[in-house]
Amino acid sequence: MQQLLQSHFGFSEFRPGQEQVVRAILDGHSAAAIFPTGSGKSLCYQLPALCLPHLTIVVSPLLALIQDQISFLNSKGIAAASIDSTQSREETNEVMAGVRAGVIKILMISVERLNNERFRQFIAGVPISLLVVDEAHCISEWGHNFRPDYLKLPSYQQALNIPQTLLLTATATSKVIEDMGSKFGIKPEHITLTGFYRPNLHLGVKGLSSTDKLDYLSTWLQTRQLSSGIIYVTLQQTAEKVAEQLKARGISAKAYHAGMTSEVRHAIQHQFMSGEQGIIVATIAFGMGIDKSDIRFVVHYDLPKSIENYAQEIGRAGRDGGDSECLVLANGDNLSTLENFVYGDTPEPSGIGIVLNEIKKAAFEHRSSQLPQWELVLNSLSNQSNIRPLSLKTLLVYLELLNVIKPTYSYFAEYKFKFLLPEAEVIEYFTAERRDFIRAIFTTADRAKIWSSVNFDSLNQTYASDRQRVLKAINYLDEKGMIELQSKQMTQVYQIVNSEFELKELTAKLSKRFLNKEASEVARINHLVELFTSPNCLSRQLAHYFSDDQMTQDCGVCTACRGERAILPPPPYLTPLEEHDFNQVCADVVAKLGTACTPVLVARFLCGLTTPLFTKLKLRSAKGYAQFERYRFSDVKLWVTQGLK
């Protein structure tokens, strides 16, 4: 271990917690590492990957993180690669060949890649030693960034016969740690927490009205503008506006957000990493995967989305151990916006009822089968039920947990191909029965001018063939450059375990679960405000929140410890809702919604929250859309309910 640490990574000793985790993995155990941002979690899989006999597969939520890690590993002489949507067909095939040959030791993918039928077929034939789950808090619905696809990882681990798992995260509460560990069967003694507190980060909160923030920030930056720093904002237009206003005051700042082209973003990121550009005004699109050691300050111009987000974002400062400042300019102006995003994700009972009815319908249609199946295309069901895709994924996970449905597999409904070599030449490449099989695939395909679609039913009638064999054949032709293959329209197939549920009862139960999740998310925002306005040590409160009991004394340097408790100024005056004419504001949307009209939908419309139905009816351009986006959703809903009576 020490030799590899020195020879490959150039370190003479491990950082706190690393050796314990690496040893657990090399001793054959599954493990979890809960380390603060920037404290070396990645080494916990990078070093074992060199010793383990087979592939290490790393699931990571962000492409930027994946690309950053691969560049680092390749610079250290470690064969690592990714399979992702930005690659050409040739690049993907080259990576797959390297993985099959055992040349590539580490393969990095997004969790969604495992939904891909073609990828699963490929990876099932590869021996894997270790599954690494980065940002592992995403697996818990009690975490701040719950992603339903992560819940499938334990079943993928079993299906692919992966003997060990390593979970990595910086932001997990006690409840989340317990949830993560239980899902992968990780023993408590193999869960390593190094403590959250970093004494070189000096935390500060200043309560300011929105009109005073820029003046305060400009003055604060005067003595710091030669240092590297990130200023976080919520909205893309705020990033542009603040950067321009700082430049007008002689402070060199550049905006960065997801609305820019990838070329512009990469250029700005490169300028920041090289030290050519010191200050970046950015949305949270900037930061994941940024491993710059000398960031001297992180400012939150707007309130962060949660304590977890705040912890991740300030964790990018001071990775070299040098003193760094983390300042929040706190006002309550965007609190309603943060809360309202939560309300936009909660499905209505009617939408849940539509999904449950679809399950009952599928069970009835397949009533003669011992194992009735339900097939769905997520976007189609989202539009049908008016439930946002991510919330619909969560609903499906809840139904799995209640043993109503069980995921079996997913497949692409359509496989299209075009010939890169003459058809006759492709057929003649094969001999005997294989030639007949390939010819049958082509002759039964639905032809168009350039592209043809594989017709599995027609093929089966002409030449009885297993779907997996067909997929293997067309993937082979694609890899060999004989055809170009495209797949689309992901269809998910579930086994219906129980269709005898009482519709009203289950709808109410699921609605309650979503409302509990909604309340939990809103409470998370309130908890953030309580932390920032508390008279108690900010660092100690954060450490306690993240299960760190090692910090027993106040830090002495944060604004609370210095007696500078933040007081939020009152939010700007909003005309009371009662003073607005309901019919004047809502007549257009009520008419366009027609029989679908509910208080929740009208309130979402007024607060600027999108739903699949709004997209279908083009309601974003209707009169009144987002008119009340600065009001609290709960207040708007009450006003709408009274107006509709």
Side-chain angles (χ1 to χ4, degrees):
M1 276 166 51
Q2 293 291 344
Q3 193 180 340
L4 284 172
L5 187 68
Q6 180 69 59
S7 62
H8 272 86
F9 300 97
F11 301 133
S12 56
E13 58 183 36
F14 286 103
R15 292 197 206 173
Q18 286 179 332
E19 186 174 3
Q20 192 178 334
V21 177
V22 170
R23 197 172 290 283
I25 295 296
L26 294 181
D27 285 346
H29 304 291
S30 287
I34 293 97
F35 299 175
T37 301
S39 56
K41 291 186 293 296
S42 300
L43 187 101
C44 296
Y45 75 80
Q46 290 166 349
L47 194 152
L50 296 170
C51 308
L52 295 168
H54 304 303
L55 182 71
T56 290
I57 191 163
V58 182
V59 174
S60 183
L62 277 174
L63 195 57
L65 276 176
I66 289 173
Q67 290 169 341
D68 206 59
Q69 289 287 330
I70 287 168
S71 299
F72 171 79
L73 286 161
N74 291 338
S75 73
K76 299 294 179 187
I78 299 166
S82 70
I83 292 178
D84 62 64
S85 55
T86 66
Q87 293 169 332
S88 67
R89 196 172 108 266
E90 291 76 17
E91 287 170 329
T92 300
N93 288 341
E94 193 180 326
V95 171
M96 286 161 71
V99 170
R100 276 200 195 98
V103 175
I104 290 170
K105 290 293 291 178
I106 297 174
L107 179 67
M108 303 192 77
I109 58 166
S110 69
V111 69
E112 290 77 17
R113 181 64 41 183
L114 286 159
N115 289 333
N116 184 309
E117 186 178 30
R118 291 172 68 191
F119 177 78
R120 284 205 314 277
Q121 190 189 57
F122 151 69
I123 205 69
V126 176
I128 304 169
S129 291
L130 178 67
L131 169 66
V132 180
V133 184
D134 199 11
E135 305 296 331
H137 56 267
C138 295
I139 201 170
S140 173
E141 64 178 304
W142 309 115
H144 69 292
N145 192 19
F146 169 56
R147 289 172 67 160
D149 277 328
Y150 265 67
L151 271 186
K152 298 179 185 175
L153 287 173
S155 61
Y156 285 135
Q157 182 203 0
Q158 290 170 1
L160 296 170
N161 295 314
I162 307 173
Q164 290 173 260
T165 307
L166 172 61
L167 306 181
L168 306 174
T169 182
T171 49
T173 61
S174 299
K175 192 174 186 179
V176 171
I177 292 167
E178 188 183 329
D179 198 18
M180 284 170 12
S182 67
K183 283 184 169 72
F184 285 98
I186 298 172
K187 294 176 180 173
E189 61 267 30
H190 298 135
I191 296 175
T192 304
L193 287 87
T194 56
F196 187 83
Y197 175 54
R198 287 172 59 198
N200 65 313
L201 297 188
H202 300 171
L203 310 187
V205 183
K206 179 74 178 172
L208 291 165
S209 68
S210 53
T211 51
D212 293 335
K213 284 201 288 189
L214 195 77
D215 287 339
Y216 185 89
L217 178 63
S218 303
T219 306
W220 191 86
L221 288 173
Q222 290 299 334
T223 56
R224 298 167 175 87
Q225 57 180 315
L226 296 178
S227 304
S228 283
I230 306 172
I231 299 163
Y232 280 116
V233 297
T234 305
L235 303 172
Q236 293 179 7
Q237 59 262 39
T238 312
E240 298 275 5
K241 188 177 167 187
V242 171
E244 283 301 319
Q245 289 173 324
L246 288 175
K247 268 189 271 187
R249 297 178 185 218
I251 296 166
S252 175
K254 277 197 174 176
Y256 181 107
H257 56 75
M260 296 171 162
T261 64
S262 58
E263 291 79 13
V264 170
R265 291 202 308 273
H266 285 138
I268 295 169
Q269 185 169 322
H270 177 73
Q271 289 166 359
F272 180 71
M273 296 299 283
S274 66
E276 185 187 335
Q277 174 62 43
I279 299 172
I280 301 288
V281 185
T283 59
I284 57 170
F286 186 79
M288 291 300 261
I290 295 294
D291 193 8
K292 183 171 167 63
S293 64
D294 62 344
I295 295 174
R296 293 276 73 91
F297 63 83
V298 170
V299 176
H300 281 89
Y301 190 82
D302 295 320
L303 283 176
K305 283 173 70 176
S306 66
I307 295 176
E308 287 88 346
N309 281 71
Y310 171 68
Q312 279 187 332
E313 287 148 22
I314 64 171
R316 287 162 198 148
R319 293 187 177 187
D320 57 3
D323 286 348
S324 302
E325 295 170 280
C326 304
L327 173 67
V328 179
L329 304 180
N331 64 316
D333 291 16
N334 71 326
L335 273 176
S336 294
T337 309
L338 289 177
E339 275 191 19
N340 290 356
F341 281 139
V342 175
Y343 291 111
D345 280 332
T346 305
E348 289 192 86
S350 57
I352 295 171
I354 287 169
V355 174
L356 295 181
N357 263 320
E358 285 297 304
I359 295 171
K360 281 193 175 286
K361 196 165 96 181
F364 181 75
E365 286 169 0
H366 297 89
R367 59 192 178 281
S368 58
S369 169
Q370 274 191 312
L371 299 171
Q373 288 190 331
W374 176 43
E375 294 195 6
L376 67 95
V377 175
L378 193 78
N379 283 343
S380 301
L381 187 58
S382 170
N383 289 330
Q384 188 185 346
S385 60
N386 195 34
I387 300 175
R388 285 181 180 179
L390 186 62
S391 300
L392 181 54
K393 282 184 182 182
T394 305
L395 173 60
L396 295 172
V397 167
Y398 287 165
L399 289 168
E400 287 175 44
L401 298 174
L402 290 168
N403 213 29
V404 173
I405 55 174
K406 180 183 174 184
T408 50
Y409 62 96
S410 52
Y411 67 90
F412 286 106
E414 186 178 13
Y415 283 90
K416 289 169 69 176
F417 64 90
K418 69 176 179 183
F419 289 102
L420 300 177
L421 294 176
E423 181 178 347
E425 192 179 318
V426 176
I427 293 170
E428 287 307 312
Y429 180 84
F430 300 92
T431 58
E433 188 272 340
R434 284 188 178 181
R435 183 190 293 168
D436 296 337
F437 175 54
I438 296 296
R439 184 186 285 116
I441 292 174
F442 294 157
T443 54
T444 58
D446 299 326
R447 302 280 182 131
K449 195 172 181 182
I450 297 172
W451 291 89
S452 301
S453 297
V454 177
N455 189 325
F456 289 96
D457 293 336
S458 182
L459 171 63
N460 214 20
Q461 287 165 18
T462 309
Y463 197 108
S465 23
D466 171 62
R467 181 184 175 87
Q468 292 308 311
R469 187 188 178 193
V470 180
L471 290 178
K472 204 167 187 177
I474 57 178
N475 277 313
Y476 177 81
L477 297 175
D478 179 70
E479 282 180 41
K480 292 295 179 187
M482 298 176 183
I483 64 170
E484 183 179 327
L485 186 63
Q486 285 186 358
S487 46
K488 63 179 186 177
Q489 192 83 320
M490 171 73 78
T491 301
Q492 295 175 24
V493 183
Y494 288 87
Q495 180 190 327
I496 301 171
V497 182
N498 171 27
S499 61
E500 299 301 310
F501 54 82
E502 209 285 312
L503 191 68
K504 275 189 178 177
E505 191 181 304
L506 187 55
T507 300
K509 185 174 184 176
L510 290 162
S511 292
K512 188 177 179 185
R513 185 155 191 176
F514 273 105
L515 288 170
N516 287 343
K517 189 170 183 291
E518 178 182 272
S520 167
E521 291 296 318
V522 171
R524 195 191 296 280
I525 294 165
N526 293 330
H527 199 147
L528 176 85
V529 175
E530 286 167 17
L531 183 143
F532 286 153
T533 56
S534 166
N536 301 319
C537 173
L538 297 171
S539 295
R540 199 165 166 187
Q541 285 187 82
L542 262 188
H544 179 71
Y545 184 83
F546 290 114
S547 316
D548 176 7
D549 300 323
Q550 298 169 40
M551 190 179 180
T552 54
Q553 290 183 314
D554 292 350
C555 72
V557 292
C558 73
T559 45
C561 285
R562 297 203 308 267
E564 299 167 20
R565 178 184 180 180
I567 296 168
L568 297 193
Y573 175 79
L574 294 172
T575 306
L577 288 165
E578 300 75 45
E579 293 181 21
H580 291 273
D581 185 302
F582 178 81
N583 290 324
Q584 196 178 347
V585 173
C586 302
D588 198 15
V589 67
V590 169
K592 286 182 176 174
L593 284 171
T595 54
C597 182
T598 65
V600 169
L601 281 181
V602 177
R604 284 183 182 169
F605 170 84
L606 295 171
C607 290
L609 305 171
T610 59
T611 76
L613 183 62
F614 292 178
T615 307
K616 184 180 170 184
L617 298 176
K618 298 180 180 167
L619 284 181
R620 293 183 73 166
S621 56
K623 183 191 168 193
Y625 182 76
Q627 186 172 332
F628 294 157
E629 65 182 346
R630 300 184 74 178
Y631 290 75
R632 295 187 71 179
F633 177 83
S634 49
D635 296 338
V636 175
K637 190 175 88 169
L638 186 64
W639 180 75
V640 170
T641 304
Q642 290 166 345
L644 285 172
K645 281 179 183 175

